[in-house]
Amino acid sequence: MFNKIAFLLLFLLLTTCNKKRDSNEKLPRTKTVSKTSLVILGTSQDAGYPQIGCTKSCCVDKWDDVNSTLVTSIGIIEPKEKKTYLFEATPDIKFQIKKLSSYIDNNSIQLPNGIFLTHAHIGHYTGLMQLGREAINAKNIQVFSMPKMFDYLSSNGPWNQLVELGNIDLKAISNNTEVSINSNLKITPFIVPHRGEYTETVGYKIKGPNKTALFIPDIDKWEKWQISIEDEIKKVDYAFLDATFYKNGEVGNRDMSEIPHPFVEESFKRLENMKSNDKSKVYFIHFNHTNPLLQKNSKAQKEVINLGFNFAKEGLVFEL
C-alpha cells in the first residue's frame, strides 16, 4: 500500500512539473519588427525603481515585484541590416540588450552595434562595465561620446581598461554634428544645460527613413537652454523629455534646487499653448522613484493624458 501511494505522489509531482514547464514554453515572446524602429527600454531615473533604501509608500510594494522598472534607455532597431543601437549604458544594460536584440531575433542575444551616451551620471554610463572581461568581454563595441566624455572614459579607471583591452571602441562625436549610421539612420547630439561634474550632457535627435525623434532624458530647466523646446518639438514626430520630478517638494528630504530638472507641472505650463498634435508628440520619461507617473492609473498619469501629452512605458515601439 505504501509503495502505491508513493508511486501516485511521484506521478502527480512529475505531471505537475511538466504542465508548468509547458506553460512557460508557451509564454508570448517579443515580436520582431520589419521597419526601422525606436523602442523604450526603461523609464526610471538613474537609481531605478524601487530606489535603494526606499521604504516609502511609493516603493514598498515594488520590492517584491518581479517586473521592476528599468533605468531610462531607448534602442533603435534596424531589421533589414539586423543591427541595433542603444542609447545609454544603464545599470540594467544586460536586460535591455536582451530585450533590444529580441526585436531582431527571438532566439539569441545580440550585443548592440553602437552605444550612444548622454553624460557621466550613474544611470547613463555605468553599464559599460558589463562589457568588460569580468562579464561578457566584448570586442570593440562602438561607444559614441562627446569630447569630455571621451577623455573621461579614456583617462579614468575602470573605464580606460575597457578601451585598453578592446572591449569598447570610443567614437568621438561633437555638438550639432550629424553621425550618419547608414542611409536610414542619422544621429545628431546637442549640448543641454545639466550638472557637469565630469562631462558635458547631450540630448539626441534621431532621424529615421520617415520620422524623427528627440531624446532629452536630463536637462536642468527649459529656460536655461538657449534653444526653444517648443520649436524643437514642432520639428520632430516624437519627443522623449525629462520628467524626473512631477512637482516641487516631491523629495521631502532634499533641497530640490540642488537637483534641478523641469518639473512635469512646469512642462505643462510651458507647453500649454502648443497645438494638440504637437502636445501628442511628447512622451515624458526618466522618472524618479517618487514620481507618481510610475504609479499605474495614478491621478498624475490621468492628468498627463487629459492635457494631451503621454508618458513613456517600457516596450513601446515607434516606427521611424
Side-chain angles (χ1 to χ4, degrees):
M1 174 64 82
F2 176 78
N3 288 338
K4 287 182 179 179
I5 293 174
F7 176 79
L8 181 60
L9 290 172
L10 179 62
F11 175 78
L12 289 172
L13 179 63
L14 290 174
T15 54
T16 302
C17 289
N18 285 336
K19 286 179 181 178
K20 287 183 178 178
R21 183 182 62 199
D22 292 341
S23 175
N24 287 337
E25 288 173 351
K26 293 176 183 176
L27 287 174
R29 292 178 173 180
T30 302
K31 292 182 179 179
T32 57
V33 297
S34 59
K35 297 180 180 179
T36 302
S37 300
L38 180 153
V39 60
I40 305 296
L41 298 171
T43 62
S44 72
Q45 179 263 3
D46 301 41
Y49 179 60
Q51 190 172 116
I52 183 172
C54 179
T55 57
K56 297 177 182 178
S57 58
C58 57
C59 294
V60 67
D61 293 331
K62 196 68 178 175
W63 285 110
D64 296 323
D65 186 353
V66 294
N67 298 311
S68 60
T69 303
L70 304 183
V71 175
T72 293
S73 174
I74 62 173
I76 305 296
I77 309 143
E78 284 276 54
K80 291 183 179 179
E81 295 187 352
K82 294 189 178 300
K83 291 183 177 181
T84 61
Y85 299 88
L86 187 66
F87 286 74
E88 311 291 35
T90 81
D92 295 320
I93 191 171
K94 61 183 178 182
F95 301 109
Q96 292 166 330
I97 286 175
K98 181 179 185 298
K99 182 73 172 180
L100 182 58
S101 61
S102 71
Y103 289 95
I104 297 291
D105 183 351
N106 282 325
N107 300 310
S108 66
I109 299 177
Q110 171 183 313
L111 292 180
N113 297 91
I115 299 174
F116 288 83
L117 303 176
T118 59
H119 64 300
H121 284 164
I122 65 167
H124 302 264
Y125 82 108
T126 58
L128 291 176
M129 67 179 66
Q130 293 285 341
L131 301 178
R133 61 182 176 186
E134 299 92 339
I136 199 169
N137 197 29
K139 303 299 180 187
N140 298 314
I141 300 296
Q142 293 187 337
V143 175
F144 296 86
S145 53
M146 293 289 286
K148 290 181 181 178
M149 189 78 187
F150 188 103
D151 290 342
Y152 177 75
L153 295 174
S154 301
S155 306
N156 295 277
W159 319 110
N160 57 352
Q161 179 174 280
L162 298 172
V163 178
E164 293 164 2
L165 295 179
N167 300 131
I168 63 175
D169 178 14
L170 290 181
K171 298 294 183 182
I173 55 177
S174 55
N175 187 39
N176 289 319
T177 301
E178 183 180 87
V179 179
S180 180
I181 302 299
N182 54 42
S183 59
N184 276 338
L185 188 60
K186 319 290 182 185
I187 312 294
T188 303
F190 51 87
I191 291 177
V192 296
H194 189 55
R195 301 182 310 283
E197 297 92 341
Y198 301 108
T199 71
E200 64 277 270
T201 301
V202 296
Y204 285 99
K205 183 175 286 187
I206 303 162
K207 184 178 180 182
N210 299 301
K211 294 184 177 182
T212 56
L214 198 66
F215 181 52
I216 308 176
D218 269 302
I219 190 169
D220 283 351
K221 294 289 183 182
W222 297 123
E223 58 268 23
K224 289 186 178 182
W225 197 21
Q226 295 179 345
I227 296 172
S228 163
I229 184 57
E230 295 92 331
D231 290 344
E232 295 306 302
I233 292 171
K234 292 174 184 177
K235 295 175 187 176
V236 299
D237 298 283
Y238 318 109
F240 304 98
L241 305 182
D242 183 352
T244 305
F245 303 114
Y246 200 81
K247 61 183 178 180
N248 195 15
E250 184 178 308
V251 182
N253 62 339
R254 295 182 68 177
D255 179 357
M256 295 188 71
S257 66
E258 296 177 355
I259 40 175
H261 290 272
F263 302 131
V264 175
E265 289 187 342
E266 290 177 333
S267 294
F268 288 160
K269 188 173 182 180
R270 172 91 188 216
L271 306 177
E272 65 181 348
N273 293 322
M274 295 192 74
K275 294 180 179 179
S276 58
N277 66 313
D278 287 321
K279 287 183 179 180
S280 68
K281 299 174 183 179
V282 173
Y283 286 78
F284 291 114
I285 199 168
H286 196 266
F287 310 126
N288 193 58
H289 68 293
T290 56
N291 193 321
L293 285 177
L294 284 169
Q295 308 298 325
K296 190 175 181 180
N297 298 321
S298 65
K299 180 181 176 181
Q301 287 189 348
K302 293 174 183 177
E303 184 176 24
V304 166
I305 298 302
N306 289 339
L307 290 174
F309 303 101
N310 304 282
F311 54 91
K313 302 175 186 176
E314 290 175 27
L316 285 180
V317 176
F318 303 82
E319 287 188 3
L320 292 174

